[in-house]
Amino acid sequence: MTTSLVDIHQGSPLSDRARGLANGGYELQDGSWVSFNRWYHSNWVDMHVDFLTQLTENSGILWGFGTGEQAEKYRIQPSFKLGFLTQTHPSPDSTLSLSVTTTFGGNLTEKPCVADYGDLGTYSVNCRLAAGETAPEETLKYLVNARPERLRLWLNYRVTF
């Protein structure tokens, strides 16, 4: 059996989504600006590494992992990918391949803030909505809680001429 590196990359749709949460900010009662960027900036972007372990000439196990990513107000869990790849040759110049992979872990979870509303009290809130018109306790249902693509089916037909 031979194991080969298939892909290595940083970033994912969930990393992009987390980075998008950094847009904007709000103004405090004293007029000072609070940017979301400091809460949603990560020094490390989720890295994915994928391998193929060949079982036969035309099949193998696809596997890999994601390192995860975090900042003060969000976390992407580490992930593990597992799948299967097979191919056949309908003609000497063509290849039909099929792969199926599934991902475990890798969820994106946004964390709440604690906001002091003076006479109204202190609440756990969605940081991005704390200064809006939504009631503090209602903002929590808008925290991002997302999962990565769990199942991927890939069918490819290639003809060489």
Side-chain angles (χ1 to χ4, degrees):
M1 287 196 294
T2 303
T3 297
S4 303
L5 177 65
V6 175
D7 183 37
I8 185 167
H9 67 274
Q10 278 192 294
S12 67
L14 290 182
S15 286
D16 294 342
R17 186 168 180 187
R19 225 156 324 295
L21 298 174
N23 296 331
Y26 59 89
E27 191 174 308
L28 294 175
Q29 197 171 28
D30 66 5
S32 59
W33 180 253
V34 176
S35 171
F36 295 151
N37 189 53
R38 69 183 177 123
W39 292 333
Y40 295 93
H41 174 76
S42 176
N43 291 327
W44 177 260
V45 177
D46 190 16
M47 179 183 283
H48 295 263
V49 182
D50 296 326
F51 299 93
L52 170 64
T53 300
Q54 190 172 350
L55 298 175
T56 68
E57 184 179 335
N58 291 307
S59 66
I61 301 292
L62 293 164
W63 60 280
F65 62 91
T67 61
E69 170 182 334
Q70 70 179 17
E72 186 176 343
K73 293 299 174 187
Y74 78 89
R75 178 174 187 253
I76 298 175
Q77 298 172 325
S79 62
F80 179 71
K81 182 189 290 187
L82 184 61
F84 180 74
L85 170 71
T86 188
Q87 68 179 10
T88 186
H89 303 281
S91 71
D93 296 330
S94 66
T95 304
L96 177 64
S97 56
L98 170 72
S99 73
V100 179
T101 59
T102 188
T103 301
F104 303 94
N107 295 349
L108 166 62
T109 307
E110 185 177 14
K111 301 172 188 175
C113 288
V114 174
D116 183 354
Y117 290 92
D119 293 341
L120 299 175
T122 302
Y123 293 88
S124 180
V125 297
N126 180 318
C127 308
R128 297 173 293 109
L129 302 176
E133 295 181 17
T134 306
E137 60 276 5
E138 290 294 311
T139 65
L140 293 175
K141 65 183 173 184
Y142 299 104
L143 288 170
V144 174
N145 191 359
R147 297 167 54 176
E149 175 182 83
R150 290 286 182 221
L151 184 64
R152 182 174 201 153
L153 175 67
W154 183 72
L155 182 64
N156 185 42
Y157 182 69
R158 184 176 62 197
V159 178
T160 307
F161 51 95

